[in-house]
Amino acid sequence: MKKSSADALTLARPILESKKYRALNLPPETVVDLIQLALEHGLKPDQAVDEARKKLHNIVAPYLGDPDYAKEQDHLEHIGTFSNQDEIRSFSLRMLESHASTHERIPLLNEFYKTIFDITGKPGTILDLACAMHPFSYPWMGLPAGCLYQAYDLHQPRVDLINQYFKAAGINGQAFYGDILLNPPPHQADAAFFFKEAHRFDQRRHGCNRPFFEALNVRWLVVSLPASNLTGRFDLADRQRKLVSDTLAGLNWPVTEVLVGTELIFCIRKNNG
Ligand SMILES: C[S@@+](CC[C@H](N)C(=O)[O-])C[C@H]1O[C@@H](n2cnc3c(N)ncnc32)[C@H](O)[C@@H]1O
C-alpha cells in the first residue's frame, strides 16, 4: 500500500458509511484509490474527498436505476428454483427493466447476441465485467449448455442477487464482488463482455483501459459503448471510436465494429489470449 493509504482510508470512511452508499458495501479500496489519485494530483484533503465523491457517483451510477434488492432476493429465496423457462424470462425481464443500460437493450436482445457471436463464435466461458444487471440477459444469449458465466461488480446487493438468480435458474454462473480495475479478474475465458463502462473507466483514471485490457486472460474482448447520450441527442460515436483506438494504439489486436441499436460494439481479438 502507498504511504498515504491509512490517511486516505480515514478520508474514505465518511463516504463509505454515508446514507447514499452504506447499503452497497462498496470495496473500501475503490474509495481509497479515488482519494489517493486526487491527493497525487495536488488536491487538499477536503477537495480530494469532494473529487472522490464526484467520481464515485459516476462509477456507481445510481441514476441508471435499481430494483428493490431485498425484495427480489426474498422472492428468489422463497421460490428456491424457477419452475420453467417462462418464469425465468419474466423475472429476468423485470431485472433488465430496472437499469437503464439493460432496459434500452430489451427490444434488441436476440439480435444483440447473434451479432456478437457471429463474429466471435459462441463462447463456452464468459467474463461479464462491470456487469450491473446484464447477467439477467442470459436466457436470450443462446449459449451452449453448461457455459461458464462469471460476472463481476463492486455493488454487493447486485452481486448477491445475481448469485441467487444463477442458482434459481440452474445457470453455471458465479458473480464476484470487487473492484476489477484494481484487481483484474485472473480467470481465463473465451470472451469478456465489457459493456458501457470503458468511458467511465477513462473518466475515473485517464488511460486505465489499456493496462486493464492487457491484464485480461481472454481470447475475445467485446467492448460496447453508447453511440449517443442518455437523452439520445448527442452523437458520441466518434468519441467512442477514438477511446478504443487510443486504448489499442500499437497493439496488433484486430477489431470488428458493429452497431446494434444505439450501442457501438467493438469485438477485439486479443492476440495473446
Ligand atoms: C453502466 S453499469 C454497466 C452496465 C452493464 N455492463 C450493461 O451494459 O448492461 C456500471 C456497473 O459497473 C460497476 N462498476 C463500475 N466500476 C467497477 C469496477 N471498477 N469494478 C467492478 N464493477 C464496477 C458498477 O457497480 C455498475 O454496476
Side-chain angles (χ1 to χ4, degrees):
M1 273 210 172
K2 290 177 204 154
K3 198 164 176 283
S4 57
S5 288
D7 299 342
L9 185 57
T10 307
L11 294 172
R13 284 268 171 246
I15 302 181
L16 291 162
E17 289 162 10
S18 65
K19 190 161 172 256
K20 180 171 176 182
Y21 293 120
R22 64 177 168 246
L24 310 190
N25 189 30
L26 300 172
E29 60 268 30
T30 301
V31 185
V32 167
D33 178 61
L34 297 176
I35 289 176
Q36 273 177 337
L37 190 64
L39 292 172
E40 281 163 24
H41 285 165
L43 297 190
K44 300 211 163 60
D46 281 1
Q47 297 168 318
V49 169
D50 284 350
E51 178 66 11
R53 279 187 197 277
K54 267 189 232 145
K55 287 202 170 178
L56 196 60
H57 182 72
N58 198 35
I59 290 168
V60 177
Y63 47 89
L64 295 176
D66 282 292
D68 181 335
Y69 295 100
K71 185 172 146 232
E72 301 300 352
Q73 186 87 32
D74 279 354
H75 172 68
L76 291 183
E77 270 158 29
H78 177 72
I79 62 164
T81 50
F82 291 107
S83 40
N84 56 52
Q85 288 299 317
D86 286 348
E87 258 191 30
I88 297 181
R89 283 184 179 237
S90 93
F91 180 84
S92 306
L93 269 181
R94 194 162 81 236
M95 295 305 101
L96 298 177
E97 279 164 0
S98 70
H99 191 273
S101 295
T102 40
H103 194 178
E104 62 190 13
R105 225 178 258 134
I106 291 174
L108 302 160
L109 277 175
N110 295 319
E111 182 190 345
F112 188 79
Y113 301 103
K114 185 178 178 321
T115 305
I116 293 172
F117 298 150
D118 279 352
I119 296 165
T120 65
K122 279 198 184 178
T125 41
I126 295 183
L127 311 184
D128 190 347
L129 307 169
C131 62
M133 306 307 279
H134 182 252
F136 295 97
S137 308
Y138 188 97
W140 290 269
M141 292 183 196
L143 290 166
C147 173
L148 177 61
Y149 200 97
Q150 296 178 306
Y152 302 81
D153 208 289
L154 48 65
H155 184 301
Q156 182 91 62
R158 242 169 226 172
V159 168
D160 292 346
L161 186 66
I162 293 165
N163 274 321
Q164 191 73 28
Y165 166 77
F166 283 155
K167 215 163 91 188
I171 293 168
N172 182 21
Q174 202 177 353
F176 297 90
Y177 162 80
D179 186 324
I180 55 168
L181 179 59
L182 302 179
N183 299 298
H187 306 113
Q188 193 172 13
D190 293 332
F193 295 155
F194 189 44
F195 293 160
K196 296 189 195 167
E197 193 56 24
H199 55 319
R200 289 193 183 83
F201 262 41
D202 197 61
Q203 285 156 7
R204 170 173 172 182
R205 187 183 282 268
H206 182 56
C208 73
N209 281 298
R210 166 78 168 232
F212 177 60
F213 288 4
E214 286 179 317
L216 298 170
N217 195 2
V218 298
R219 289 176 58 238
W220 285 94
L221 176 54
V222 186
V223 175
S224 84
L225 287 161
S228 59
N229 73 341
L230 276 177
T231 67
R233 283 173 57 210
F234 296 104
D235 188 348
L236 302 176
D238 285 342
R239 187 190 299 184
Q240 313 295 30
R241 285 191 188 107
K242 181 165 170 11
L243 174 60
V244 172
S245 64
D246 286 353
T247 301
L248 302 181
L251 292 171
N252 185 21
W253 296 357
V255 181
T256 308
E257 182 194 308
V258 280
L259 182 73
V260 179
T262 58
E263 202 162 342
L264 210 47
I265 306 169
F266 303 87
C267 296
I268 304 167
R269 180 70 174 89
K270 277 196 74 174
N271 277 331
N272 60 344

